[in-house]
């Protein structure tokens, strides 16, 4: 219940820097329970991140084993990132918040648990696509930053919604943005960009 309350509070406030008093007020629970169950507020945030990451990582493992083309896997991967951020719009900010001290044990735990597997997955799919003759050679670090940054942008810079006259990032806009980012990525990644329209798999997940 505490993790659910923390998640909904972050979505409501559009911030990961929530206080224990805010959490207690939002959940109706005693804030002392955070220390009892998680040891500290950061311990709770790590547990929240790992709970959501476990599902995302299981999806990556399944996607990697699917008997479909690298292009189709990439389309589903991009959709999966945006869908995760749509469900947990604080996701990337929470990861960066917890990685503020790169020398801490907490930071090392998060890197090993989530960041490293994501980077390795992307590196493997890029290499698979090159071997299949579908992808050009792309620097994995450039790819990681450009794709994760593009997928996260609408959920980080929500102040832009007002400037654009958009009320919210609803389901229709989510689908539209998946298609947009997928087309941008594949136009640079594919040896033959027209394959973006014909490859199996689609851009939804």
């Amino acid at each position: 219940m505490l993790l659910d309350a923390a998640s909904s509070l972050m979505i409501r406030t559009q911030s990961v820097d929530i206080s224990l008093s805010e959490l207690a007020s939002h959940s109706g629970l005693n804030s002392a329970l955070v220390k009892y169950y998680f040891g500290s507020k950061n311990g709770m945030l790590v547990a929240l991140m790992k709970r959501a990451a476990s599902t995302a990582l299981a999806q990556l493992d399944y996607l990697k084993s699917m008997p479909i083309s690298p292009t189709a896997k990439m389309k589903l991967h991009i959709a999966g990132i945006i869908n995760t951020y749509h469900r947990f719009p604080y996701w990337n900010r929470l990861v960066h918040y917890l990685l503020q001290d790169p020398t801490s044990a907490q930071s090392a735990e998060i890197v090993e648990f989530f960041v490293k597997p994501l980077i390795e997955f992307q590196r493997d799919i890029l290499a698979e696509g090159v071997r299949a003759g579908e992808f050009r050679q792309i620097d994995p670090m450039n790819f990681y930053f450009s794709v994760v940054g593009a997928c996260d942008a609408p959920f980080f810079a929500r102040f832009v919604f007002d400037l654009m006259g958009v009320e919210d990032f609803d389901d229709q806009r989510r689908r539209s943005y998946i298609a947009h980012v997928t087309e941008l990525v594949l136009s640079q990644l594919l040896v033959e960009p027209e394959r973006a329209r014909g490859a199996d798999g689609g851009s939804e997940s």
Side-chain angles (χ1 to χ4, degrees), residues 15-202:
S15 173
V16 298
D17 192 16
I18 59 175
S19 69
L20 292 181
S21 60
E22 287 176 317
L23 181 61
S25 176
H26 182 71
S27 65
L29 300 171
N30 192 316
S31 61
L33 292 174
V34 171
K35 185 174 182 180
Y36 178 79
Y37 285 111
F38 305 105
S40 65
K41 186 180 83 169
N42 269 17
M44 179 189 69
L45 296 180
V46 169
L48 178 62
M49 189 280 297
K50 292 180 74 171
R51 183 179 71 167
S54 295
T55 300
L57 291 174
Q59 291 172 344
L60 289 185
D61 287 340
Y62 177 70
L63 177 56
K64 188 174 180 179
S65 67
M66 290 177 69
I68 58 178
S69 71
T71 299
K73 290 181 182 180
M74 188 60 71
K75 294 170 76 173
L76 290 171
H77 176 51
I78 293 168
I81 296 175
I82 294 174
N83 288 334
T84 297
Y85 289 168
H86 186 251
R87 183 179 179 188
F88 308 109
Y90 54 81
W91 174 267
N92 216 25
R93 278 172 288 169
L94 178 58
V95 171
H96 285 284
Y97 179 83
L98 294 171
L99 292 175
Q100 288 182 85
D101 180 3
T103 65
S104 69
Q106 167 188 287
S107 179
E109 179 183 10
I110 293 169
V111 168
E112 286 296 319
F113 182 80
F114 177 71
V115 181
K116 187 176 178 180
L118 175 58
I119 290 174
E120 290 177 346
F121 169 84
Q122 291 184 347
R123 191 188 301 272
D124 288 346
I125 296 302
L126 289 173
E128 182 183 340
V130 171
R131 290 194 301 271
E134 297 180 22
F135 297 167
R136 297 188 298 111
Q137 288 281 357
I138 297 290
D139 184 286
M141 186 171 75
N142 290 345
F143 180 84
Y144 173 85
F145 284 130
S146 59
V147 170
V148 171
C151 292
D152 177 55
F155 310 102
F156 179 76
R158 295 178 71 88
F159 64 89
V160 175
F161 291 5
D162 289 339
L163 300 176
M164 294 289 187
V166 174
E167 290 187 9
D168 197 10
F169 199 86
D170 57 18
D171 192 61
Q172 180 178 354
R173 189 160 294 276
R174 175 190 64 84
R175 293 172 180 271
S176 173
Y177 194 63
I178 288 173
H180 174 72
V181 174
T182 300
E183 184 175 358
L184 284 177
V185 172
L186 293 183
S187 69
Q188 296 300 309
L189 183 61
L190 292 178
V191 172
E192 300 177 38
E194 60 269 22
R195 289 189 189 180
R197 296 186 177 87
D200 53 316

